[in-house]
């Protein structure tokens, strides 16, 4: 087997003087040092991989470390801090200055590390999604990651695959490639194998080459890899086309905006305090220091790091639930999804088809009972009655690409086809025998637009056995064409039927009768295929479906069940309570679709169903109106999906749409969240934001839930951190008006914002779904972060916390003797008291903050170990700052007597009560657990 590969392998590939497209296949193979039928040997492939490196484009879309650092350093928040540090230096406060600068550095490093890790994580996810390719190595077909391809590899191409490198086509069976990404040409190009003259032939005209970044839209073939990675046409222009813009998520952009607003407020308040202080003739140093503290207090230092962390974690969790995220923004968009448009077969159903009913003009069989009694492996006798079904059964198995294992009575391949092969085998008609009797001579493959397929078979002169009838159907012609497909449409193409051993005419009345029969079967949720045949004088030309698939002789019907996935029913119910509308979009018959939709709870048994034909007859306005209420679309082609997404989006919906085929790609791109099936084509995956590793509808719903959790956790941190900062601003700004000393010095505020809040923020980022996460309406993309009660929280809890801390400060100051009698050390003691009690209060607030609605005793303490650990760490750090001599120096703290700590703990307990009271009020204000988006319970 390894002959050629072995003899030629040691010769290194060299680029020929003429273009690859100018050489014939033999010359290409010899220049590449490979065998055009067996491929490279494993050893040689390994060697070349070492030499040429993996087949991937250098990641230029990702920002470099330098860029990430610059982005962090140049952010407005950092600039404010640097400015504040400068003033502190002017005031002769070296520790404050050093601390501010140290924290600036820490902040930048933390941000950079987070960003860098998030970027790496996404790159890793992308790699997981890298296409698998089938290649020949040493004469055997192997499956490998596209990254492992090397020049000289022989790659097998099939419909839906992305072309994984630049290659010279050596075999083409109707092979066609979409090259729009590379050449801008929107029509697919036919691929050929013969050499093409002209060194300067345009890329688009080099029909015997296939290029990285294009995709196979039709047919199959094989090709020799001529260039990989950056040594491809795409690699050459990669720098030009790679999107260097860093894609920020909606939340990131919103939070950037929030940070800017806060920064502006910081500057304004600081200026105000400075001006009023000057006007009242206060000590300039104190005023300046206050202004610096204010600026530092408002800036939410921990926010960016917490955000990236939370998003990356969300993507990871989704992966754990079998949804692979290809673009980070999808994590949060998922949380806003309002409509999920899902394929039926395989996503909502199990895609395990079993034929339960057979109908031919002369006989019928219902197998449900038998299979229930005798199990799925039941075999049946081809008695006189059943023999009347033989042409139907045999044709169904012949016009078919599934492979039967006659022993186990199982089939591999497309489940619809497998069911037909299996039912024929039940009656002793094994596909391999049939294939031998009536050899296949040509085929018109299935496509979901036509919804049928045809195979053409030679009719040999010898005895055909049980399928002798097909000779008569062929009506003396040398070939018989067998067509199977969606029953309603196929029956319309039949002009006669096979009955009593003769071809009888089929008139409109007859077709109507068959239509009713089909309707009867589909209404029970079965997929019904019709099978028909005709004689042919000669083999049809390529793509001559229209010429062949008409004037057919009707042979019969096969109806099969495909049970719903058990978990889909729950997922549909979850969608409903979560204010998300599940919509079924299927190529199947309207009645089949509706019956299954009803079974899953997606639609009423008599719900309105729209078909592809209905859609075509509708104007844009009409369609918009229809998509508001229709949950089942049937007999839909991939092109219709695009219109459905469009109409839904016009209606303001955030749409997730599933798909697996090449033609689904435009709809996946258009949808807010394109969802590709793990089993689908590479083209669909490339177009999608999310790939379902298990093809399961329930997985989409799980991903939506995780998306909401991410959103919740970010909002949780914003609520916590902004209300805390409001308090800190008040603590700094108010006391000077009453002659009190500064209650928090800048370095303390920094510590609180960055370490205490940052650690707690990370703890909040890992919070799991709340009990009502999927029982409330989705977040509208236009909805601000401060909606649903967060604004109230910030404006009530913030001032309460601030007032409480001022009271603490005032008590401490009075205890030290009050106006005129307080020494510098005692001032430091007062500040340390406020600093520490505030830290305690923040710790308990973090606990209460675990749920937006539920009381803390319900959410419990143990559910989030990370948060508990962070609370512990923050506590230890706080005590360290207060009690270790070196840190006392840096942070200008004084050791607190135990009684103050105890009082601080008591104050924190009071704060907890206030938080819980606010939540109780929020619960009363807003209706909980909504069932539909109409009754939205957002209190914001
Ligand atoms: N292999 C096949 N040969 C002939 N006809 C088929 C074949 N597979 C499906 N059909 C017919 O074509 C119709 C549409 O099939 P299509 O594959 O587009 O839908 P589907 O993908 O199975 O459904 P969904 O869109 O819900 O996933 C089916 O209802 C069936 O009648």
């Amino acid at each position: 087997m390894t002959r050629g590969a072995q003899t030629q392998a040691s010769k290194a590939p060299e680029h020929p003087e003429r273009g690859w497209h100018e050489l014939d296949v033999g010359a290409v193979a010899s220049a590449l040092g490979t065998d055009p039928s067996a491929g490279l040997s494993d050893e040689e492939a390994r060697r070349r991989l070492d030499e040429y490196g993996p087949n991937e484009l250098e990641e230029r879309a990702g920002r470099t470390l330098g860029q990430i650092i610059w982005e962090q350093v140049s952010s407005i928040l950092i600039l404010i801090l640097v400015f504040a540090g400068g003033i502190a230096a002017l005031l002769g406060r070296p520790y404050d200055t050093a601390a501010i600068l140290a924290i600036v550095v820490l902040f930048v490093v933390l941000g950079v590390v987070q960003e860098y890790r998030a970027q790496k994580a996404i790159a890793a996810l992308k790699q997981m999604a890298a296409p698998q390719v089938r290649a020949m190595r040493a004469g055997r077909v192997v499956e490998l990651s596209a990254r492992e391809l090397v020049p000289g590899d022989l790659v097998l191409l099939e419909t839906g695959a992305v072309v994984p490198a630049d290659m010279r086509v050596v075999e083409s069976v109707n092979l066609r490639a979409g090259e729009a990404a590379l050449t801008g040409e929107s029509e697919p190009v036919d691929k050929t194998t013969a050499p093409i003259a002209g060194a300067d032939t345009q890329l688009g005209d080099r029909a015997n080459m296939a290029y990285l970044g294009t995709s196979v839209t039709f047919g199959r073939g094989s090709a020799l890899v001529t260039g990989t990675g950056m040594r491809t046409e795409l690699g050459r222009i990669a720098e030009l086309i790679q999107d260097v813009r860093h894609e920020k998520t909606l939340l990131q952009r919103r939070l950037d905006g929030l940070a800017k607003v806060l920064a502006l407020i910081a500057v304004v308040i600081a200026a105000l305090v400075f001006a009023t202080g000057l006007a009242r003739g206060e000590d300039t140093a104190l005023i300046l220091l206050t202004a610096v503290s204010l600026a530092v207090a408002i800036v939410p230092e921990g926010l960016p790091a917490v955000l990236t962390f939370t998003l990356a974690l969300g993507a990871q969790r989704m992966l754990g639930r079998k949804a692979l995220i290809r673009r980070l923004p999808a994590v949060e968009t998922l949380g806003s999804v309002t409509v999920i448009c899902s394929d039926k077969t395989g996503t909502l159903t199990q895609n395990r088809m079993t034929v339960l009913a057979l109908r031919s003009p002369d006989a019928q069989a219902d197998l449900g009972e038998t299979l229930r009694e005798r199990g799925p492996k039941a075999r049946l006798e081809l008695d006189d009655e059943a023999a009347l079904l033989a042409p139907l059964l045999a044709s169904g198995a012949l016009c078919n690409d599934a492979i039967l294992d006659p022993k186990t009575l199982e089939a591999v391949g497309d489940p619809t086809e497998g069911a037909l092969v299996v039912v024929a085998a039940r009656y002793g008609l094994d596909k391999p025998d049939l294939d031998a009797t009536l050899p296949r001579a040509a085929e018109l493959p299935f496509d979901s637009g036509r919804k049928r397929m045809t195979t053409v078979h030679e009719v040999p002169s010898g005895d055909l056995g049980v399928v002798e009838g097909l000779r008569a159907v062929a009506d003396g012609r040398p070939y018989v064409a067998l067509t199977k497909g969606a029953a309603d449409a196929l029956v319309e193409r039949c002009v006669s039927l096979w009955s009593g051993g003769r071809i009888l005419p089929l008139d409109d009345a007859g077709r109507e009768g068959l239509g009713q029969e089909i309707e009867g079967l589909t209404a029970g949720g079965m997929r019904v295929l019709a099978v028909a045949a005709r004689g042919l004088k000669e083999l049809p030309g390529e793509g001559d479906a229209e010429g062949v698939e008409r004037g057919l002789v009707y042979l019969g019907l096969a109806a099969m069940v495909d049970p719903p996935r058990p978990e889909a029913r729950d997922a549909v119910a979850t969608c409903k309570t979560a204010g998300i509308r599940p919509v079924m979009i299927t190529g199947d018959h309207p009645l089949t679709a509706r019956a299954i939709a009803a079974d899953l709870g997606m639609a009423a048994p008599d719900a309105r169903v729209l078909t592809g034909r209905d859609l075509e007859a509708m104007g844009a306005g009409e369609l918009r109106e229809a998509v508001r209420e229709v949950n089942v679309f049937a007999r839909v082609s991939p092109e219709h999906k695009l219109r459905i997404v469009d109409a839904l989006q016009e209606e303001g919906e955030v749409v997730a749409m599933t798909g697996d085929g090449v033609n689904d790609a435009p709809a996946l791109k258009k949808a807010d969240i394109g969802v590709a099936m793990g089993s689908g084509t590479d083209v669909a995956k490339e177009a999608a934001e999310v790939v379902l590793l298990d093809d399961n509808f329930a997985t989409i719903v799980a991903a939506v839930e995780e998306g909401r959790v991410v959103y919740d956790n970010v909002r949780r941190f914003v609520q916590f951190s902004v209300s805390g900062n409001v308090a800190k601003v008040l603590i700094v700004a108010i006391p000077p008006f009453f002659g009190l000393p500064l209650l928090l010095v800048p370095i303390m505020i920094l510590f609180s914002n960055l370490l205490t809040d940052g650690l707690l923020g990370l703890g909040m980022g890992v919070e799991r779904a709340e009990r009502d996460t999927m029982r409330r309406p989705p977040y509208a993309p236009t909805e601000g972060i401060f909606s649903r009660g967060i604004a109230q929280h910030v404006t009530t809890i913030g001032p309460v916390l601030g007032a409480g801390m001022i009271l603490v400060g005032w008590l401490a100051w009075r205890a030290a003797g009050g106006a005129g009698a307080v020494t510098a050390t005692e001032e430091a003691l007062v500040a340390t008291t406020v600093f520490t009690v505030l830290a305690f209060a923040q710790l308990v607030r973090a606990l209460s903050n675990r749920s937006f609605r539920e009381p803390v005793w319900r959410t419990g303490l143990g559910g989030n170990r990370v948060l508990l650990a962070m609370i512990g760490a923050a506590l230890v750090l706080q005590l360290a700052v207060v009690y270790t001599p070196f840190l006392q120096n840096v942070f200008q703290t004084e050791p607190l007597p135990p009684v103050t700590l105890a009082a601080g703990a008591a104050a924190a307990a009071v704060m907890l009560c206030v938080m819980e009271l606010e939540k109780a009020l929020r619960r009363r204000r807003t209706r909980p657990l909504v069932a539909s988006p109409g009754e939205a319970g957002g209190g914001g």
Side-chain angles (χ1 to χ4, degrees), residues 208-221:
N208 56 16
M209 296 291 295
Y211 293 104
L212 174 65
T214 64
S215 58
V216 180
T217 56
F218 197 78
R220 55 173 194 84

Side-chain angles (χ1 to χ4, degrees), residues 229-420:
M230 295 305 282
R231 282 176 300 272
T232 56
E233 294 299 331
L234 191 67
R236 264 187 270 286
I237 54 169
E239 277 172 72
L240 299 180
I241 59 163
Q242 283 196 20
D243 193 358
V244 270
R245 242 174 338 114
H246 167 50
E247 214 173 1
K248 288 209 168 183
T249 73
L250 186 65
L251 262 179
Q252 280 173 328
R253 272 179 280 145
R254 264 207 204 130
L255 291 180
D256 281 354
L258 173 67
K260 290 210 178 97
V261 171
L262 288 179
L264 190 72
I265 294 177
V267 172
V268 169
I269 294 190
L272 265 177
V273 166
F274 187 72
T276 47
L278 274 190
R280 293 170 0 135
E282 276 176 15
D283 174 25
T284 324
L286 178 68
I287 306 171
L288 269 177
L289 190 62
T290 311
V292 169
S293 306
L294 273 172
V296 172
I298 292 182
V299 174
E301 284 86 352
L303 196 56
V306 170
L307 179 61
T308 24
F309 170 76
T310 309
L311 282 171
L313 187 74
Q316 217 167 30
R317 276 192 190 159
M318 289 177 186
L319 183 61
R321 299 180 79 169
K322 297 253 181 324
L324 190 140
I325 302 298
R326 297 187 66 247
R327 289 178 44 232
L328 201 52
V331 173
E332 48 177 83
T333 315
L334 271 164
S336 305
V337 163
T338 59
V339 175
I340 303 177
C341 296
S342 172
D343 288 341
K344 172 176 70 67
T345 311
T347 314
L348 288 163
T349 66
Q350 301 177 14
N351 208 5
R352 297 225 310 248
M353 306 266 178
T354 314
V355 173
L356 289 190
L358 295 160
R359 301 280 182 270
S360 82
D362 298 327
Q364 66 174 55
D366 289 287
L367 311 181
E369 193 88 351
T370 316
L371 295 186
R372 236 187 327 265
E373 280 167 12
R374 293 169 43 195
K377 301 229 157 80
R379 291 182 191 262
L380 305 162
E381 209 189 324
L382 195 66
D383 55 17
D384 288 350
E385 158 103 25
L388 297 171
L389 296 167
L392 164 67
L393 289 167
S395 304
L398 279 163
C399 175
N400 199 311
D401 291 321
I403 296 163
L404 171 76
D405 180 343
K407 280 204 210 85
T408 60
L409 216 56
E410 278 169 23
V412 201
D414 173 51
T416 301
E417 305 209 320
L420 292 170

